Amino acid sequence: MELFGRERECAVLDGLLSSAREGRSATLVIRGGPGIGKTALIDYAVGAASDFLIVRFTGVESERQLGFAALHRLLTPILHQIERLPAPQRDALNSALGLASGPPANGFLVGLGVISLAATAAKARERLLCVIDDAQWIDSESIEALAFWGRRLNAEGIALIFGERDGVDTASPLGGLPVLEVQGLADDQARALLDSESEVSLDRQVADRAVAHAGGNPLALVELVNGLSADQLLGAATLPELLPVGLLLEEHFSRWVRSLPVETQIFLLLVAADPSGDWALLMRAASVLGVDREAADRAESDGLLTLNPRVAFRHPLIRSAVYSKARPADRRAVHRALAVATDVERDADRRAWHLAGAAVGTDEDVASTLEGCAERAGGRGGHAAQAAFMSRSAELTPDPECAAQRRVVAAGAALAAGSPRQAHTLVALARPDLVDMAARAKGDRIVGRGWMLVGRPGIAAPILLSAAGALLPADPLLGRQTLLEGLEASFLAGSVDAAGPDTATALDIVGRQPGKGGISDRLLDAFAAYVTSGYVTAVPFLRDAIEAIGDEAVPAGQRSRWTALASIAAQALWDQDAHYELMTGLAHLAADQGALGWLCLAWQGCAVSETWAGRFGAAETYFAQAADVNAAAGGHAMPLDMDLILMASQGHDATTRARAGFVLTSAAEQGMGAGAILAHHALMTLDLGQGRYGDALEHASVVFEADPVATGNLVLADMVEAAVRSGDTDAAQRAMGRLGERATASGTDWALGVSARSQALLAGDVGEALYRDAIDLLEPTRLGVESARTHLLYGEWLRRQKRRTDARDELRIAEDMLEAMGAEAFAKRARDELLATGERARKRTVETSNDLTPQETHVAQLAASGDSNPEIAAQLYISVSTVEYHLRKVFRKLSVSSRRQLKGALAHAGVGASMADVDR
């Protein structure tokens, strides 16, 4: 196939195919305006891939509301291999595609199933080319799964190409994937295309005018040649005023269609209204309308349709022109005929959508049918389809209140599909007809949760708390859950106003109506006690909530939903062991469920635990894995810049300050007070390491005044240190007063250890016993950083007591620990103190290092722990081929030849066991 002026684009496609032939996978989005040549480039790639298994699909706007419809049609050629998939992926795909009954499909498990299915197909034929044209019209469930697949391709021998029209209003799920932007042809190439398409020699002025008006659009130029007479091409007759370019191409095709016999127009409209391309179905519908085979033949002979192997338009713009320019009455008639022709047993959803397309005014029978379709879609995990069916059902519902209630249900489905803006719009449409206060509160709850989804907890919190107050009397179970969601939003916003009327009323009702003892009930009781009665009263409730979430009898979905909130309770209690167990447990659970948002959060939590332990390399690996999963999920899962504390602990001055400044600005704009607190906490840690105690105290004071549930306690000992070193006795006493009371109530070694250390700082010359107590309490724990810093402070105290020999012992311990973990600023403090004792600076040894990437490290750790390649692939959301690819690189880099040698090689390279391995 000759393409004029597309040498660069063809070279990119050739490179994509070459990579796949060598076993490396790649994804490419071909993006451009209507008629610019995207489909021609896709045709070129298909023509150049004769040695590939080829799977091809074109999205159609009228099918956009049918959840997983595109995925079903795309995967049909390779679905026979579905039984080879691991059970969770197989079950998710079967449920999503309606091939078997089962629980609602998780979208990311569906995506992982696509990864495994495609990798299996590629391995059978060595390589696979999958092309999806007009991706902007694919249903959201399918495109999310396909985008997820595209982001996880690596070493399977797969080339994945999307064609997508630019200028679409909504954000593309394909964002972040490599893009090939297709521009118009240069003038000389446009003239060459005109010459190749014309059977006569074009008049120069005709060619110049065509090239100037078409703006390099290839389809416009081709249609020009096809639409002009020989006299016009030769310059002997007048040209039309408007040539077919850009959006005018649809009008050009529309005029063409209107010139055809009525029966042919009707058949074209049938094909436009039902994208299945099923000849038998289309002919059944045509017979209902009295249209015969000749109408189809005429459309084919005119070059608008191809009838084999399936009925399809020559170009997607023809379909758009046919459907959008048709009379509404004709569209309704066509949908009615298609509904009659569609098998109610085999394709009930598509039949219902055609019935809706044929409806005039309101129709409760059709509305009820659509409601049933919505329930089935939700049962398969097709939440976007559920929202579309239920929204259309509401439009056809004659009773205003019933219609409003259906819109609220549609809004909930839209929110589950990740479309908060659509959810907010549906609730706004429903609100005037929601008479019942509880019904209005349910709508408000959806609005509040929508604001949470887009990272605006400051807006979400008052909406959720108000909704909770309205729901509690009528629906205590939903009211309590909404109140807990409101408190969670308040924690992220940075404050909880317990005296506010909505919060106070809701908490009062909760106090008089205790829950039934589930996880959310116990968490609510704990945080309600914290907000209303203070920390000391809340401690036993916090412990009870943490214990409850570890109960294996609790449903997995409940544990996933509330573990993150329970981890806040663990931090409030200074309970590193509970935090560690909660985060590793959530990581395993989220990986099994395909819940990438929770997996991202869990790995960030694991990284935080590793940071506390002083295992900074492991923390970096977990943060990198969280970022990788976040990218796979489309960039929506990262809640906070939690690696700021790690960067500050490592002493990265410029990077930490720049990132913290950005977080502070973003937090102010979004009402994310927890982000601002995190930034101040990180800056306090950085300044403490550098000995900038006055600055550290300023940042600590901000956190102290906010007193956030998650980190308010963790900053108290640091505030005492900063205040003592700054000479601010009042600030030190205030922090110590809160720390002493809360540490005693908590009773963990972490709490008591930092409390003893803080008391030692305040005790001055008589603090030695307290330093020793702090060391004894902290040393057996996983809290490497706190233990090392306690040795540092004790060594500094000993030097000031003129006990240089004793000071050197403590300072050497501190320096060795801090240097080994990579806490450069604090290690420098220890070295400076050692020099002040008269000890010479030691020559620093070069640490063992390796050049494994974070994902290679994680794959190697899991392999060393005994996981099989399929198990590793499932945990990391990659294909088995990619696991094999990473292990080959790991073996080469570490100079090992078997999995049995991995653990020792990793330890020698300075890579410890993962937290998951330690847990085993």
Side-chain angles (χ1 to χ4, degrees), residues 45-93:
V46 170
S50 58
D51 53 333
F52 284 67
L53 171 64
I54 298 174
V55 178
R56 184 168 184 172
F57 176 79
T58 299
V60 180
E61 186 173 9
S62 60
E63 199 173 41
R64 197 177 184 185
Q65 311 301 341
L66 302 177
F68 296 111
L71 200 62
H72 193 294
R73 287 211 276 138
L74 182 70
L75 296 179
T76 294
I78 56 176
L79 273 179
H80 61 281
Q81 303 194 52
I82 197 170
E83 293 304 318
R84 298 186 183 184
L85 301 186
Q89 300 170 31
R90 182 186 65 238
D91 294 345
L93 266 179

Side-chain angles (χ1 to χ4, degrees), residues 718-729:
D718 293 327
M719 182 172 173
V720 172
E721 180 182 346
V724 169
R725 290 286 192 254
S726 302
D728 190 334
T729 305

Side-chain angles (χ1 to χ4, degrees), residues 839-860:
E839 181 166 296
R840 290 184 179 181
R842 293 177 298 165
K843 184 177 181 180
R844 299 179 65 189
T845 58
V846 179
E847 293 183 3
T848 302
S849 63
N850 68 84
D851 59 351
L852 298 182
T853 67
Q855 189 158 77
E856 289 168 358
T857 299
H858 209 157
V859 167

Side-chain angles (χ1 to χ4, degrees), residues 14 27 112 161 170-171 213 227 295 329 356 358 365 443 475 487 556 568 572 575 628 658 727 756 776 873 913:
D14 289 339
T27 304
L112 186 56
I161 301 174
T170 56
H213 193 78
D365 290 339
D475 190 342
L487 291 175
I568 291 179
D575 193 337
D628 181 56
D776 291 343

Side-chain angles (χ1 to χ4, degrees), residues 880-917:
V880 173
S881 299
T882 298
V883 174
E884 294 167 351
Y885 170 74
H886 284 316
L887 281 176
R888 286 195 296 271
K889 293 176 69 177
V890 167
F891 284 8
R892 185 177 70 252
K893 290 179 179 181
L894 298 182
S895 300
V896 300
S897 57
S898 72
R899 298 165 83 100
R900 290 192 303 273
Q901 299 171 309
L902 269 180
K903 188 169 289 188
L906 288 171
H908 180 71
V911 180
S914 68
M915 290 184 70
D917 185 32

